[in-house]
Amino acid sequence: MRTVALAAAFMLVVFLLVTWAVSYQMVSHARQDRKQVQAVYVASKEKELRHYVELGHATLARIAQGSGEQAALQQQVLAALSRMHFGNDGYFFVYDRFGNVLLNPGSMGIDGVDFCDPADTGSEQARMLINQAHAGGGIVRYNWIKPSSRAEAPKMSYVKTADHWGWIIGAGLYMDDIERELAAFDANAARTLRDTQIRLTALAIGSVMLISLAWLAWNLRNSRISGEKLRRLARRVVSSQEEERARVARELHDGVVQVLVSSKYLLETAQVHLEQDTEKAPENDVAKDHRSRRLAPQALLAQGLGRLQEALVEIRRVSHGLHPALLTDLGLAAALRMLVEQLCPQRAVDLRFTEQGFIPALSQAQRTALFRVAQEALNNALMHAQAGWVQVTLAGGAHHVALTIEDNGHGFDLNKVRADGKGGIGLRNMRERIESLEGSDFAMHTGPAGTRVEARLRLPQPEPDSTIRARPDPALGHLPPARRPAA
C-alpha cells in the first residue's frame, strides 16, 4: 500500500508539473498568437483605410480637374464623397484648410453620428485628425459613437491632405469587430487549454488506475507465491518434525526401550528366584547348593542394574542429540567434540574432529545453527555416503568462523536433490539455518570422490576505539585433544 501511495503521489506531482508547463506554454503561445492576429487585423484595417482615402483623393482630383467654377466643383466632390459608403458604418469626412467640417455624417444622412460638429471644430478628435493630416497624414485612433449600435466604440481613421484646395480627406473604421475576433480567439484558446487540462487529468487518472491495477496484479501474484511458499514451508516444517519424531522414536525403540525391556526381564527373573528361595527351605541341601541358589538372583539383579545404567547412558545420548548442554555451557567446540566422540564407538568409520585457530565468542543462534549443520552432515555421511572417514573441522579467526564436514563417500546428484520437492529436506534445512544468519555463507560440493559441506560466518568488526575483546570459546584449553585415529 505504501508503494501505491508513493507512486500516486509521484504521479500527482508529475501531473501538476506537466499541467503547469503545458498551461504556461499554451498561454504564452496564445498571447503571442493574439498579438500576431491583432497586428494582422490592424494592418488589414490600415491598408483598407488607405485604399478608401486614396480612392476619395482620386475622386477629388478627377472632379477638381474638370471645367466649371471652383464652388460647383467642390460641391460636386462633396456630393460624390457623401455617396461613397463602405462597410456598415464606414464614411468619409472632409475638412477645409481652416479646419471647418465640409462633410459630416449629418450631411451624409447617417443618423446617430454627429462627427466633429461644425459648431465645435475645436473638439479633441478634430484637432487629432487635423494635426495628423498637417503632419503628413496617417492613422489616428480614438473612441466615437458607432451609428449601427449608437454606442461608443474604438475607431481608427486615416487622414490625408489633398493637393487641390488644401482639403483634408479622411475615412474611419470601427475596431469593435477586431475586439470581437480577439475575444473569440481568447475564448477558443481558453477552451483549448481547458480541453488539454481535461485530457491531462484523464491521462493522470488512467495512469494511476493502471498503476493500481498493476500493483493489485503484482500483489495478487506475490500473495499466491507467498501462499505457496508458506504452504511448502509448512509442509517442510511438518515433514521435518515428523522426521525428527521418527528419529527420536527409532533412537528410543532401538536403544532405550530394548535396554529397559531386557532389564525388566532380568529383574522379573530375579524376583521369581527370590520368591522360590523364600518358599522353599534348604532342609537337606548342602551349604554349597544353598549359596549357588542365592547367588543366581544377585547376578540377575546385577545384570539388570547394568542394563539400567546402559539405558541412562542411551537417554543422555538421545538428549544430547536433541539439545546438547555442552553447547550452552562450554561452547561449540566442546559440543562438536562430544558429538564426534559419541558417534565413534557406534560406527565403523574413522571420525575426526579438529580445531584450527582462534574461535571467537558466538551467539546462541550461531552456535546452534553450526551444531545442527554438523549433526545433519554427519548423519548423511554415516547413513548414506558409505564413507571410510569423515573429517569435522572448526576453524576461526578474529572476525570469522568456518565449519567444514568432509568425507570420502560416493556422493550424490546435488541438482537432482534440489529439484526434488519432497526430498533433500535436510540439505535445505542446513542451507536455511546458515543463510538466516547475517553475514553467512553456505556451500556444498559433492561428487564420486566425496562430499564437502562448508558453513562460514563473518563476524562484525569492533569499533576502532572499542576495548571489548571477543571472549574465547570456553572449551579451548579445558578439554583433552580430540581422538585422531591413525589414517
Side-chain angles (χ1 to χ4, degrees):
M1 192 62 185
R2 184 179 299 175
T3 304
V4 176
L6 290 176
F10 177 76
M11 287 296 300
L12 179 60
V13 171
V14 172
F15 163 71
L16 293 176
L17 292 176
V18 171
T19 302
W20 176 83
V22 172
S23 301
Y24 178 78
Q25 290 295 328
M26 291 186 67
V27 170
S28 299
H29 289 308
R31 290 174 179 173
Q32 294 178 1
D33 293 343
R34 189 181 191 279
K35 291 180 180 179
Q36 293 178 358
V37 170
Q38 186 177 12
V40 170
Y41 275 120
V42 170
S44 176
K45 292 285 186 181
E46 291 179 355
K47 184 176 180 181
E48 184 178 0
L49 285 174
R50 288 191 182 95
H51 174 71
Y52 290 147
V53 172
E54 293 294 339
L55 181 62
H57 186 272
T59 301
L60 184 148
R62 179 177 55 80
I63 295 175
Q65 292 175 359
S67 59
E69 296 182 0
Q70 182 177 356
L73 293 176
Q74 290 178 347
Q75 291 298 324
Q76 186 177 357
V77 169
L78 293 176
L81 292 178
S82 65
R83 292 191 299 271
M84 296 176 62
H85 297 174
F86 47 90
N88 295 328
D89 300 295
Y91 55 86
F92 286 95
F93 54 86
V94 180
Y95 294 93
D96 62 11
R97 68 180 63 187
F98 303 106
N100 298 317
V101 176
L102 302 178
L103 181 65
N104 61 21
S107 62
M108 297 171 63
I110 301 177
D111 297 332
V113 178
D114 189 12
F115 180 73
C116 295
D117 187 5
D120 188 14
T121 55
S123 66
E124 181 180 359
Q125 290 82 359
R127 288 198 305 271
M128 292 171 59
L129 294 170
I130 294 172
N131 292 336
Q132 185 65 38
H134 289 163
I139 297 293
V140 180
R141 292 183 176 85
Y142 52 92
N143 291 333
W144 198 248
I145 303 299
K146 188 175 183 180
S148 60
S149 63
R150 305 290 180 90
E152 188 177 90
K155 186 176 182 181
M156 179 174 63
S157 296
Y158 183 79
V159 293
K160 181 179 180 182
T161 302
D163 295 335
H164 299 81
W165 311 322
W167 287 5
I168 298 174
I169 299 178
L173 290 174
Y174 289 92
M175 306 294 293
D176 56 344
D177 55 344
I178 296 180
E179 297 297 329
R180 286 195 301 271
E181 292 294 335
L182 293 177
F185 179 85
D186 293 339
N188 183 60
R191 184 169 56 254
T192 303
L193 178 60
R194 184 175 62 255
D195 293 342
T196 302
Q197 292 175 344
I198 292 174
R199 292 189 185 97
L200 289 175
T201 303
L203 179 62
I205 294 174
S207 300
V208 171
M209 292 181 63
L210 287 177
I211 291 176
S212 301
L213 291 175
W215 174 83
L216 180 60
W218 177 79
N219 192 28
L220 291 176
R221 178 177 176 273
N222 281 353
S223 297
R224 288 195 298 269
I225 295 175
S226 299
E228 181 62 26
K229 287 182 178 179
L230 288 176
R231 286 191 292 271
R232 287 201 302 265
L233 180 60
R235 290 195 296 267
R236 188 182 305 172
V237 169
V238 171
S239 178
S240 300
Q241 290 176 346
E242 292 300 326
E243 286 189 358
E244 184 65 17
R245 289 172 181 173
R247 186 187 69 81
V248 175
R250 287 195 303 270
E251 295 282 350
L252 293 176
H253 180 271
D254 297 340
V256 178
V257 174
Q258 297 298 327
V259 173
L260 291 177
V261 169
S262 62
S263 300
K264 176 177 178 293
Y265 289 155
L266 290 173
L267 293 175
E268 288 177 348
T269 303
Q271 182 182 13
V272 171
H273 281 241
L274 288 174
E275 290 176 354
Q276 290 177 354
D277 289 343
T278 304
E279 293 176 357
K280 295 180 181 180
E283 297 176 353
N284 300 321
D285 294 340
V286 296
K288 183 177 180 179
D289 295 336
H290 177 71
R291 285 195 304 270
S292 62
R293 282 195 298 269
R294 293 182 62 87
L295 289 175
Q298 292 178 359
L300 293 175
L301 288 174
Q303 292 180 8
L305 291 173
R307 299 295 289 176
L308 287 176
Q309 182 63 29
E310 294 178 6
L312 290 175
V313 173
E314 187 68 15
I315 290 174
R316 290 193 184 96
R317 185 186 67 80
V318 174
S319 174
H320 179 79
L322 293 176
H323 185 77
L326 286 177
L327 188 61
T328 303
D329 298 336
L330 298 180
L332 178 62
L336 292 176
R337 184 180 292 109
M338 181 63 69
L339 176 64
V340 171
E341 290 178 353
Q342 286 181 346
L343 293 175
C344 281
Q346 304 175 17
R347 308 286 181 175
V349 179
D350 184 9
L351 293 177
R352 311 171 187 174
F353 173 73
T354 304
E355 293 180 41
Q356 295 179 355
F358 169 72
I359 309 300
L362 301 175
S363 66
Q364 182 65 30
Q366 291 171 334
R367 292 196 301 265
T368 302
L370 292 175
F371 182 80
R372 295 305 182 195
V373 168
Q375 270 188 319
E376 186 66 32
L378 284 173
N379 182 64
N380 292 338
L382 296 177
M383 295 185 62
H384 307 295
Q386 299 178 1
W389 56 265
V390 180
Q391 174 68 50
V392 180
T393 304
L394 181 65
H399 308 299
H400 77 277
V401 173
L403 174 65
T404 305
I405 302 93
E406 189 174 7
D407 64 71
N408 65 341
H410 54 67
F412 57 93
D413 189 346
L414 184 58
N415 294 328
K416 183 178 180 181
V417 172
R418 287 176 177 173
D420 187 1
K422 298 181 179 180
I425 295 177
L427 299 181
R428 286 195 293 270
N429 287 342
M430 287 192 292
R431 180 178 296 277
E432 290 173 359
R433 282 182 183 275
I434 298 302
E435 291 181 350
S436 65
L437 301 174
E438 184 178 358
S440 61
D441 295 312
F442 181 83
M444 176 178 294
H445 306 280
T446 182
T451 301
R452 177 185 176 88
V453 177
E454 183 174 1
R456 184 180 183 88
L457 302 182
R458 292 186 298 275
L459 305 179
Q461 298 183 6
E463 296 295 332
D465 57 346
S466 175
T467 58
I468 300 176
R469 300 180 60 86
R471 181 174 59 88
D473 195 309
L476 294 179
H478 296 284
L479 292 177
R483 184 179 66 88
R484 298 185 57 87

